[in-house]
């Protein structure tokens, strides 16, 4: 059955970084955008048009780095119990986090792994909510190094490349943990790489044979440098990587997912007299400077929140990451492109991310003009996925 729909938008931000357009009619047929055109006087009183003339419409957003098995709660007992539980206990948590994402205008997510591969299993077997979840399953780390909560290490005598080739879990992409965590006490402290440049290069080639890309957790100069040189598709976090690495990323076409909101979320979740609060805020300031430099150098950025980290809640944290990008110098239209167009590209979702003829009608409607964004994303008035109203 053919479905036909017209929507009148007060403003449109199309996800390409073009300036916001005002007073636009979107025509949708069978869940696909057929046209976007200026509204004429004859449309003002048309009963056949859905009226969002007091709203801004933008593409469905992508959170390019989440952990669906974990909540942003500061309750450490809850956090501990979510980490290493059977699938049956994780499934309802994952479902709730996908629902929370959708209510915030997030229509696709990229999960960075969990120890049991539960998010990948849920996406394959049990997902009944219209959020596209691309998942790494179990991530890879080096033995006795950081990353137990998101994955495992190769067997004794097994290279990372061979482990990837022989794994068989059939993920949507490969997650590698390439460094340690940031210190909240010793500013700028860097950890050594978990894998060598050669090991990573071989891993990238092994992943390519499976038709998969590698996202790599990497902080600091050397871990990021070898990740970029090895050909990893994206660098996650990238704290303290330095300007030279940003230049490398621009040259190689490496996507950066900064997850700056992790430091903001952590700082807001602990008492003022805790020295880690000042450390988190200092890390945030340094990351904001790198984001500003990345824009200047032409690095491709996608927005990810690391939702599930302390103080970083699924869905609602994305608008805060957008606000941080704007504070670092991005225009609203540029940050929507990073959160929608670049995010969809990173996930391989070619029919999503922008509002244009031929693209899926996956939209977020928020009250007010573009000047009210990104804060208005705290409570969208509607979310549409492929032409179907879901929020």
């Amino acid at each position: 059955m053919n479905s036909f729909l017209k929507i009148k938008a007060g403003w449109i931000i199309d996800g390409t970084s073009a300036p916001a357009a005002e007073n636009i009619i979107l025509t949708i047929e069978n869940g696909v955008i057929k046209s976007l055109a200026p509204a004429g006087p004859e449309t003002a009183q048309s009963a056949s048009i859905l009226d969002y003339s007091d709203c801004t419409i933008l593409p469905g957003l992508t959170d390019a780095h989440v952990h669906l098995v974990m909540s942003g709660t500061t309750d450490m007992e809850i956090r501990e119990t979510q980490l290493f539980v059977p699938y049956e206990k994780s499934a309802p948590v994952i479902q709730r986090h996908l629902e929370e994402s959708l209510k915030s205008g997030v229509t696709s997510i990229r999960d960075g792994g969990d120890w049991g591969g539960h998010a990948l299993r849920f996406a394959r077997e049990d997902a009944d909510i219209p959020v596209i979840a691309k998942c790494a399953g179990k991530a890879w780390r080096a033995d006795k190094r950081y990353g137990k909560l998101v994955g495992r290490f190769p067997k004794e005598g097994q290279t990372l490349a061979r482990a990837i080739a022989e794994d068989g879990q059939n993920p949507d992409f490969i997650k590698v943990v390439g460094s340690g965590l940031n210190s909240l006490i010793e500013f700028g402290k860097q950890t050594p790489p978990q894998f060598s440049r050669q090991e990573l290069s071989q891993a990238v080639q092994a992943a390519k044979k499976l038709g998969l890309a590698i996202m790599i957790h990497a902080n600091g100069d050397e871990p990021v440098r070898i990740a970029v040189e090895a050909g990893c598709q994206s660098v996650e976090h990238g704290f303290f990587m330095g300007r030279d690495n940003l230049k490398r990323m621009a040259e190689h076409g490496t996507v950066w997912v900064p997850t700056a909101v992790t430091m903001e979320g952590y700082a807001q979740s602990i008492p003022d007299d805790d020295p880690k609060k000042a450390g988190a805020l200092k890390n945030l300031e340094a990351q904001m400077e790198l984001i500003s430099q990345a824009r200047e150098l032409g690095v491709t950025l996608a927005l990810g929140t690391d939702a599930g980290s302390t103080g970083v809640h699924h869905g609602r944290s994305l608008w805060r990451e957008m606000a941080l990008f704007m504070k670092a110098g991005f225009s609203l239209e540029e940050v929507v492109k990073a959160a929608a167009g670049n995010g969809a590209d990173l996930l391989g979702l070619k029919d999503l991310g922008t509002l244009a003829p031929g693209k899926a009608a996956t939209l977020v409607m928020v009250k007010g003009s573009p000047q009210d964004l990104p804060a208005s994303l705290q409570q969208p008035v509607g979310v549409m996925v492929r032409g179907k109203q879901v929020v």
Side-chain angles (χ1 to χ4, degrees):
M1 180 179 177
N2 184 58
S3 64
F4 189 81
L5 181 66
K6 284 182 177 284
I7 297 174
K8 182 179 180 183
W11 297 266
I12 286 280
I13 301 175
D14 67 7
T16 68
S17 76
E22 191 171 356
N23 202 23
I24 298 294
I25 298 292
L26 286 86
T27 301
I28 298 167
E29 187 172 0
N30 294 330
V32 176
I33 298 172
K34 303 300 290 184
S35 66
L36 296 93
E42 71 281 358
T43 65
Q45 304 300 322
S46 175
S48 64
I49 295 176
L50 291 180
D51 187 8
Y52 285 95
S53 56
D54 60 348
C55 294
T56 301
I57 296 181
L58 52 155
L61 303 173
T62 294
D63 191 332
H65 191 125
V66 307
H67 294 280
L68 286 169
V69 303
M70 294 184 276
S71 301
T73 178
T74 57
D75 187 319
M76 295 310 296
E77 185 176 348
I78 293 175
R79 297 190 63 78
E80 289 296 325
T81 58
Q82 287 179 340
L83 289 178
F84 305 108
V85 296
Y87 175 75
E88 291 70 25
K89 290 189 176 181
S90 271
V93 175
I94 295 168
Q95 173 76 16
R96 185 175 73 248
H97 292 159
L98 289 172
E99 292 170 353
E100 290 170 356
S101 298
L102 190 62
K103 290 176 183 177
S104 297
V106 176
T107 56
S108 55
I109 63 94
R110 182 168 168 254
D111 184 274
D114 60 84
W115 77 276
H118 295 336
L120 176 63
R121 177 178 172 182
F122 187 89
R124 295 281 195 271
E125 298 179 5
D126 295 323
D128 62 353
I129 188 169
V131 177
I132 296 173
K134 298 289 187 179
C135 304
K138 300 177 185 179
W140 292 103
R141 64 182 176 96
D143 189 13
K144 299 181 178 65
R145 292 292 305 274
Y146 165 76
K148 180 181 179 181
L149 72 166
V150 295
R152 67 283 157 81
F153 50 86
K155 299 173 184 176
E156 186 176 353
Q158 190 182 46
T159 65
L160 177 60
R162 185 179 169 192
I164 289 170
E166 296 177 352
D167 182 44
Q169 70 167 338
N170 191 31
D172 295 309
F173 48 88
I174 304 295
K175 168 71 176 293
V176 173
V177 182
S179 74
L181 286 172
N182 295 312
S183 172
L184 299 179
I185 299 297
E186 187 177 342
F187 178 72
K189 180 181 179 180
Q190 301 189 21
T191 59
Q194 294 202 21
F195 300 99
S196 69
R197 158 78 184 276
Q198 182 180 10
E199 288 174 308
L200 277 183
S201 295
Q202 292 170 347
V204 167
Q205 294 309 309
K208 281 183 178 179
K209 289 180 181 178
L210 298 173
L212 304 175
I214 289 182
M215 64 181 290
I216 184 165
H217 165 118
N219 295 305
D221 175 66
E222 188 180 5
V224 172
R225 177 179 57 78
I226 64 174
V228 174
E229 292 175 348
C232 295
Q233 182 189 35
S234 70
V235 168
E236 313 297 308
H237 317 304
F239 285 83
F240 307 115
M241 63 175 161
R243 186 178 180 90
D244 286 345
N245 273 321
L246 291 174
K247 292 178 180 177
R248 289 187 186 96
M249 293 170 81
E251 292 167 2
H252 285 77
T254 310
V255 180
W256 183 29
V257 184
T259 65
V261 73
T262 55
M263 293 295 109
E264 181 184 76
Y266 195 85
Q268 292 175 349
S269 69
I270 56 178
D272 290 343
D273 59 354
D274 188 328
K276 291 181 180 178
K277 186 183 189 80
L281 291 173
K282 197 170 182 181
N283 287 352
L284 173 60
E285 183 180 353
Q287 192 75 331
M288 296 279 284
E289 175 57 30
L290 282 178
I291 291 171
S292 179
Q293 291 180 31
R295 177 181 180 273
E296 169 198 336
L297 294 169
V299 178
T300 300
L301 290 95
L303 264 73
T305 63
D306 209 5
S309 297
T310 304
V312 185
H313 301 279
H314 290 270
R316 51 188 156 134
S317 292
L318 191 66
W319 83 267
R320 288 300 313 156
E321 184 79 357
M322 295 174 74
L324 291 172
F325 268 55
M326 292 176 68
K327 189 175 179 181
F330 278 66
S331 69
L332 173 62
E333 290 84 357
E334 288 172 337
V335 81
V336 171
K337 179 181 179 182
N342 292 351
D345 287 346
L346 186 58
L347 272 64
L349 304 174
K350 299 303 182 185
D351 66 337
L352 298 177
T354 58
L355 303 182
K359 294 281 192 170
T362 296
L363 322 169
V364 182
M365 299 83 156
V366 293
K367 199 78 169 178
S369 75
Q371 292 182 340
D372 298 306
L373 282 161
S376 55
L377 279 165
Q378 292 176 84
Q379 192 170 8
V381 297
V383 178
M384 180 176 287
V385 174
R386 300 186 186 280
K388 181 181 179 181
Q389 195 92 359
V390 294
V391 174

